[in-house]
Structures are given as structure tokens and as C-alpha cells.
Amino acid sequence: NAGVTQTPKFQVLKTGQSMTLQCAQDMNHNSMYWYRQDPGMGLRLIYYSASEGTTDKGEVPNGYNVSRLNKREFSLRLESAAPSQTSVYFCASNSPLHFGNGTRLTVT
Amino acid sequence: DQQVKQNSPSLSVQEGRISILNCDYTNSMFDYFLWYKKYPAEGPTFLISISSIKDKNEDGRFTVFLNKSAKHLSLHIVPSQPGDSAVYFCAASGGAGAGSYQLTFGKGTKLSVIP
């Protein structure tokens, strides 16, 4: 039982490149979330999906898109990466939240 | 505007003593409060929660106290152990609709338990 799995663990992008962060959970949870953690900022909600087929903006959605592919998977896409998106990204599911181990993204 | 505040970035405690981590909030719509623990290179893990209808919740060595009138909560760890050394995040949610899904986190307090 893996819980919440995020891929990749690390990624370096150049400004303007695009990429998709993948997240899958095997706990049959309805709700899924994407957070970012920056030094001294705590965790901030980017997007969430209350159930399969729905997505909603969180506190900091600009520059991101999401897809709830099915009940298990919730992906986060950066269409044109910017240095301000350098961060650690966490996917989570359910309430109380179960977190993955994060993706550390650097945009140069 | 920070709605959940953890004013102590760090705290050092001797092994066996009590650790007290504090958290203040400003949004009166918050009605559910949680504490998460985070080790380096791992995701946060849920520790304990409390609903606004209670003022105390206990789970083993961990107790959370809620003072609604002061908009303040605290996490007590007794006795503290070296394995408790981690960053602790306070989080809150509340309100109807989208508010119930959105957790607002504090910036965290780094606890160091000295053997």
C-alpha cells in the first residue's frame, strides 16, 4: 500500500519549458490537492479536486493547470515555467490530508 | 494577510521535558484545526486534530488545546523524545463549500529535542 505517490522526485527546468507533475493515490480517496512549499512560507494550496470530475482554484493557482484524470490520479501542469515556480510541490488526498513525499522543482 | 500564525520559527527542548508549540488564527470561520509533523525530504504527516466544539484532544503523548475566544491553539508533547525533532505545522479549515476543503497552514515551527 503506497499511499500517495508523486513523480518525479526532482526536476530542473529552463524558463519557458513545460512539464507535468504526476500524483496517484491508492486509498480510494475522493478529494485530492496540490500544495507548494516555499522557505518561510508554509504550504499554500494551488488547486484541489473535491471529487472525480471537478477541480477548483486554491490560494495560488496562477501559472498552473490541473487534471483529475480519474479517482486515483491528479496531475499538475506548468505550461511555461518561471523562476518564481521554483518550489517543493506536494500532492495530498482526503481529510485529514495524506501527503506524498514531494517533487523538488528548480526553474533556471 | 496571514490567517494562521506560528510566531516561533524554532524551539529547543531537553529530552523528557514538555514541548509546547503555539498557533494563532484570525479567521473566525475556522472550525477545524490540525497539526502536521514534517521530517526533511518527506511529506507532512498528520499528527492530531481538534474540532471547534472541543477545547482539548489527546492522543498518547500529544495533546492539542483550543482557546476559541483567544483564537489560539497549542500542541503539547510530553515527554519529548529525540524522534520528535521535526517541523510542526498548524493548519485550519472552515466554512461551508470550498472553505471546508481548503486547509490554511502556518509557516511552521522547527522543534529540536536535545538528548
Side-chain angles (χ1 to χ4, degrees):
Chain A
N1 190 347
V4 177
T5 303
Q6 291 184 236
T7 55
K9 288 186 169 51
F10 302 94
Q11 183 71 49
V12 179
L13 291 178
K14 294 188 189 306
T15 297
Q17 287 184 318
S18 62
M19 80 159 294
T20 300
L21 281 66
Q22 307 286 354
C23 175
Q25 52 94 6
D26 60 5
M27 296 173 284
N28 202 35
H29 291 160
N30 285 321
S31 55
M32 297 185 74
Y33 306 79
W34 277 105
Y35 282 85
R36 61 178 286 175
Q37 185 191 13
D38 301 297
M41 293 293 291
L43 290 98
R44 293 182 292 168
L45 181 64
I46 305 171
Y47 269 93
Y48 68 98
S49 169
S51 61
E52 186 179 352
T54 70
T55 60
D56 285 285
K57 294 178 181 179
E59 182 186 352
V60 288
N62 291 346
Y64 305 96
N65 285 302
V66 289
S67 296
R68 184 72 183 268
L69 305 168
N70 47 55
K71 192 170 186 179
R72 288 186 66 247
E73 298 172 286
F74 188 38
S75 61
L76 178 72
R77 181 157 178 86
L78 288 72
E79 290 291 352
S80 178
S84 61
Q85 293 178 305
T86 294
S87 188
V88 181
Y89 292 85
F90 289 101
C91 178
S93 67
N94 211 41
S95 177
L97 298 177
H98 295 255
F99 284 89
N101 282 331
T103 295
R104 186 175 294 275
L105 175 67
T106 302
V107 183
T108 61
Chain B
D1 178 34
Q2 217 184 328
Q3 298 187 68
V4 177
K5 300 177 187 178
Q6 294 177 256
N7 291 321
S8 298
S10 63
L11 175 68
S12 289
V13 171
Q14 287 289 134
E15 181 179 2
R17 306 294 285 266
I18 183 171
S19 295
I20 301 176
L21 294 93
N22 293 304
C23 178
D24 297 294
Y25 62 96
T26 57
N27 189 337
S28 57
M29 296 296 290
F30 288 151
D31 58 9
Y32 185 56
F33 305 89
L34 307 91
W35 285 94
Y36 282 82
K37 179 165 85 170
K38 186 183 181 303
Y39 294 118
E42 294 184 10
T45 55
F46 169 70
L47 197 55
I48 192 168
S49 64
I50 188 166
S51 163
S52 61
I53 62 173
K54 292 182 149 187
D55 54 19
K56 177 183 172 181
N57 190 26
E58 234 173 315
D59 184 1
R61 296 185 297 115
F62 303 91
T63 304
V64 56
F65 295 92
L66 176 62
N67 182 334
K68 290 188 291 293
S69 60
K71 293 191 174 69
H72 176 83
L73 62 154
S74 60
L75 174 68
H76 293 209
I77 306 173
V78 184
S80 301
Q81 299 174 353
D84 296 329
S85 297
V87 176
Y88 289 79
F89 290 99
C90 172
S93 69
S100 64
Y101 287 99
Q102 297 198 36
L103 271 186
T104 301
F105 283 82
K107 293 183 178 182
T109 297
K110 183 175 182 180
L111 173 66
S112 299
V113 180
I114 303 159

